[in-house]
Amino acid sequence: FSQKKWRQPVAASVVEIGGLKIAKEDVVRDDPTNNVPDAIFTKLGMQLHRRDKHPIGILKNAIYEYFDKNYSNKFEKFDNLCPIVSVKANFDDVLVPADHVSRSDNDTYYVDSQTVLRCHTSAHQAELLRRGCTHFLVTGDVYRRDSIDSTHYPVFHQMEGVHVFSPDDWGSSRVDATSYATQDLKACLEGAVEMRWVDTYFPFTNPSFELEIFFQEKWLEVLGCGVMEQEILKRSGKTDNSAWAFGLGLERLAMVLFDIPDIRLFWSTDERFTSQFAKGELGVKFKPFSKFPPCYKDMSFWISDSFTENNLCEVVRGIAGDLVEEVRLIDSFTNEKGMTSHCYRIAYRSMERSLTDEEINDLQNHGIVC
Ligand code: FA5
Ligand code: MG
């Protein structure tokens, strides 16, 4: 598969973030380590989280209000930090090991060898701690090369929360600093929704947890969190403190709260979607305006050792854009010579109209978007 060959046409060549003008040439570069496609560049300036009438913006505002109310406006908010960050900020500063998979160019978008599109809002933790912030929320668009289905998209939004405690905070309680931060973290996040805690691992927290919510008959992971590794605090000049941190996937929670069935809808400019939401209104249930039939195509091919599913998904998305709903491995077999073949089922479905079999054949054969 050639990734450079099939590309959808793009209009914008400059985006503005936090007063900074970023040219396409600065992000989609000829650098050998660059793997940012045009379609990802166009998402850079969209900032859905800063639109008051968009479900992502409505949810962000509601969570900000929750924190203001419960913590008397103590949390500082950042929602305009540039998503182009250093490898150091994205990985080293939060103790991600040098050989961790998330650093690979199969998982992360690299602008050049020292610069990435942030893959989580944790990329801003250390910098803000160094600046002296002790209570903060960071909201922003994050970027990941990932598989394709109704709850995964290569661009999504996270909110990071960090709360640093000092010995005075846990001194009067009967528990140690870590237990104190753990209890406070869980109390802060446990809400009205049906949820459960799952133990997990992150390089930057210990203990670490995931919060899952029951949605569409399944447990859906909406956030990762934990007690911040002492090393991160120490490096930021905080030797006597303890802290909790969380990273919330805004799309996942918005899907539950607004009943939005597919993550691609957040990017829809169709009025039948956008007109259903209003500033400050969290209770609205999305009324699907259509459920057009899907068009399935099975595709088999021999794979080499360098094959990855993320690369396949990038190619499929480069050709079909948001028409692709899911890419799923349905069969795999290895012959006597040790060659492996994969069969993928690609589901195409438009949010706006019925697709014909013919146009999907054209699309697959020639990369033509009708
Ligand atoms: C993180 O990104 C950690 N930085 C979170 C964290 C922060 C942990 C602070 C501890 C302390 P994770 O990769 O699990 O963790 O992603 C966090 C959330 O982002 C997930 O729970 C999910 O809600 C959302 N998410 C992850 N991948 C996608 C995707 N492809 N599309 C939409 N949402 C996603
Ligand atoms: Mg996770």
Side-chain angles (χ1 to χ4, degrees), residues 36-61:
V36 184
D38 288 5
I40 291 295
F41 170 76
T42 49
K43 298 285 200 269
L44 272 176
M46 302 277 241
Q47 300 197 307
L48 302 184
H49 61 286
R50 302 182 77 219
R51 301 183 192 179
D52 289 341
K53 292 188 226 160
H54 189 282
I56 298 296
I58 298 169
L59 177 57
K60 180 201 79 174
N61 290 335

Side-chain angles (χ1 to χ4, degrees), residues 144 200 202 210 221 223-224 252:
R144 287 186 198 179
T200 189
F202 291 107
E210 277 166 354
E221 176 202 322
L223 71 81
R252 299 275 179 87

